[in-house]
Amino acid sequence: MKVQVQISIYSLRTESLSEPIDEFCRILKDKGLKVQTRTMDSFVVGESDAIFKSVQEAFEQIAEKYDVAMDFKISNACPKEAEKQVKKKQI
């Protein structure tokens, strides 16, 4: 099922706030997901199976190195429109 996901990663007890976030997004992109990084979150569009598996793997990898918290919101309501947005703004 095609879904859209809004993910926020919060670095805790670390000097670099961006390193865990950048690494998390890189892992998702390396898994072939379309990721749009925004100021306070990242927006991902794709198949739910791939997203759930990739997010779990990415979280586990960064959690081994950093103390982090993750906020994860998922919707199947409008992934086609969201996918168009991500393609336009993808980094």
Side-chain angles (χ1 to χ4, degrees):
M1 166 190 328
K2 193 74 120 175
V3 296
Q4 62 187 15
V5 176
Q6 179 182 353
I7 305 169
S8 297
I9 298 290
Y10 302 98
S11 298
L12 308 172
R13 295 183 287 272
T14 183
E15 289 183 25
S16 173
L17 299 176
S18 64
E19 281 180 29
I21 297 164
D22 293 342
E23 187 171 339
F24 183 85
C25 291
R26 181 192 49 75
I27 294 167
L28 295 182
K29 289 177 183 178
D30 288 349
K31 301 251 178 225
L33 295 175
K34 298 171 185 145
V35 179
Q36 177 191 356
T37 303
R38 304 184 301 186
T39 306
M40 296 297 293
D41 58 20
S42 295
F43 198 63
V44 184
V45 177
E47 291 297 321
S48 59
D49 302 7
I51 289 177
F52 282 123
K53 183 178 179 182
S54 298
V55 167
Q56 179 182 0
E57 290 175 11
F59 182 80
E60 289 174 356
Q61 285 182 39
I62 65 168
E64 288 178 5
K65 296 162 76 172
Y66 309 98
D67 290 332
V68 293
M70 178 175 70
D71 183 28
F72 180 90
K73 299 173 190 165
I74 186 167
S75 172
N76 70 342
C78 51
K80 288 183 183 176
E81 188 59 36
E83 188 170 29
K84 290 178 192 173
Q85 270 186 350
V86 170
K87 283 183 180 177
K88 285 181 188 176
K89 297 178 182 179
Q90 194 171 22
I91 296 174

